[in-house]
């Protein structure tokens, strides 16, 4: 792991549903995961994601240089689904 891939604390972590124009919760640090790891969406938000699929924009800020990084994650769910299912997701988003 090189220096740019070392987990770090970030600010203003946000998950925004591009279709419904709402912020998805929880967007909190993930327990028992390395610093800089977050839960993007979980099954508690299943009704806020359409069965046809939604694009979630994830963003965070590096507190040292104020750089903002954004990544798009595609998921599907729906009120009658049992789980959130990922359609496509980047392996990782690196903040320098």
């Amino acid at each position: 792991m090189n220096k740019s891939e070392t987990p770090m604390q970030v600010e203003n972590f946000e998950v925004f549903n591009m279709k419904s124009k709402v912020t998805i919760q929880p967007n909190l640090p993930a327990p028992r995961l390395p610093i800089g790891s977050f839960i993007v969406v979980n099954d508690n938000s299943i009704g806020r994601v359409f069965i046809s699929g939604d694009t979630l924009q994830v963003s965070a800020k590096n507190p040292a240089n104020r750089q903002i990084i954004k990544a798009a994650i595609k998921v599907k769910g729906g009120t009658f689904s049992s789980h959130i299912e990922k359609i496509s997701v980047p392996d990782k988003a690196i903040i320098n």
Side-chain angles (χ1 to χ4, degrees):
M1 182 179 289
N2 65 40
K3 186 176 179 181
S4 65
E5 294 176 344
T6 302
M8 63 178 287
Q9 194 69 23
V10 296
E11 296 177 345
N12 302 340
F13 182 84
E14 182 178 88
V15 181
F16 186 75
N17 186 320
M18 301 298 287
K19 188 183 288 182
S20 64
K21 307 294 185 206
V22 297
T23 299
I24 299 288
Q25 298 293 336
N27 54 2
L28 304 170
R32 294 177 296 248
L33 292 177
I35 291 174
S37 298
F38 286 81
I39 296 172
V40 174
V41 65
N42 67 16
D43 290 341
N44 292 331
S45 299
I46 204 160
R48 295 183 181 192
V49 180
F50 290 98
I51 196 165
S52 60
D54 284 345
T55 299
L56 305 180
Q57 179 177 282
V58 179
S59 62
K61 184 187 298 183
N62 178 338
N65 65 11
R66 316 307 286 166
Q67 176 194 14
I68 296 174
I69 187 84
K70 294 180 180 181
I73 298 173
K74 294 185 179 184
V75 298
K76 63 181 181 176
T79 305
F80 301 108
S81 300
S82 58
H83 298 289
I84 298 287
E85 181 181 340
K86 70 178 179 179
I87 298 171
S88 69
V89 59
D91 290 335
K92 60 178 111 177
I94 298 174
I95 297 178
N96 297 319

